[in-house]
Amino acid sequence: ECWIEAEDFMEEPIKKYQRLYPGNEVRLKSAYIVKCTGCKKDENGNVTEVYAEYDPETRGGNTPDGRKVRGTIHWVDAENSVDAEVRLYDNLFTVPDPDAQEGSFLDYLNPKSLEVLTDCKAEKSLATAEAPKSFQFMRLGYFCVDNKDSSPEHLVFNRSVSLKDGFKKK
């Protein structure tokens, strides 16, 4: 059992989506190739579980039969993970130069300049992480341990640099 990013699964994929969906195979980073067999939803229609079968012949992500697998997703072992709060910082303003615009610079504050994610899962090895340590969270960016709010009982990571995502929803 493992945790994956919600964005790594679509029940009905759009064109060029190379991640997990029913019937599709993806590579679990540094592990096995898995094939999605379905999902479970809550009473509101939100996906709560994704079901997949792994191919034991694909340890390390290689296919001995030569089949092509396009998507690779990262994951965290459910039994060896810790809870964390993750803070995603974005541009403070909605325009490059708010002083050059009409009105007050306050009119151009980005309401999404900080997104706080709770109940995130991280590798258990991060449980002892202390500031100023930083880490790359695959495909998401570089994160540093918060020097005021983080503790072994309540891990907090701040994104310092984001990475470009190759897939953009249209």
Side-chain angles (χ1 to χ4, degrees):
E1 188 175 342
C2 63
W3 294 101
I4 64 171
E5 293 287 332
E7 295 82 22
D8 286 341
F9 175 78
M10 275 190 188
E11 190 173 18
E12 296 179 27
I14 60 177
K15 191 175 181 178
K16 296 187 180 181
Y17 186 76
Q18 299 296 329
R19 298 181 191 162
L20 205 55
Y21 58 86
N24 190 43
E25 288 186 315
V26 298
R27 184 174 287 105
L28 292 179
K29 181 75 173 155
S30 303
Y32 295 94
I33 291 176
V34 296
K35 182 176 185 175
C36 180
T37 59
C39 65
K40 178 181 175 182
K41 297 181 184 182
D42 64 16
E43 60 279 353
N44 298 321
N46 300 312
V47 175
T48 57
E49 295 180 12
V50 175
Y51 303 115
E53 296 176 347
Y54 86 105
D55 182 345
E57 300 296 317
T58 61
R59 183 175 171 94
N62 299 316
T63 57
D65 58 4
R67 69 186 186 271
K68 301 288 183 199
V69 177
R70 293 184 172 249
T72 299
I73 62 175
H74 60 283
W75 57 281
V76 176
D77 180 1
E79 291 185 24
N80 292 302
S81 63
V82 292
D83 291 329
E85 177 179 307
V86 176
R87 298 173 182 167
L88 305 176
Y89 292 91
D90 201 351
N91 294 327
L92 183 57
F93 298 104
T94 58
V95 296
D97 187 2
D99 288 332
Q101 308 297 318
E102 283 190 33
S104 170
F105 73 93
L106 296 174
D107 297 335
Y108 300 97
L109 285 174
N110 180 2
K112 296 181 180 179
S113 64
L114 173 60
E115 183 181 359
V116 178
L117 306 176
T118 57
D119 299 322
C120 297
K121 303 299 180 189
E123 291 183 16
K124 194 172 191 172
S125 63
L126 296 177
T128 57
E130 296 178 352
K133 291 283 187 181
S134 61
F135 306 90
Q136 180 180 0
F137 291 0
M138 288 186 193
R139 217 179 62 233
L140 298 176
Y142 291 91
F143 293 76
C144 58
V145 179
D146 189 276
N147 64 350
K148 292 185 180 173
D149 297 330
S150 191
S151 69
E153 299 79 33
H154 180 75
L155 291 173
V156 180
F157 294 94
N158 300 319
R159 182 169 62 189
S160 53
V161 179
S162 65
L163 299 177
K164 181 180 177 185
D165 188 353
F167 175 77
K168 299 270 188 226
K169 284 188 183 178
K170 293 182 181 178

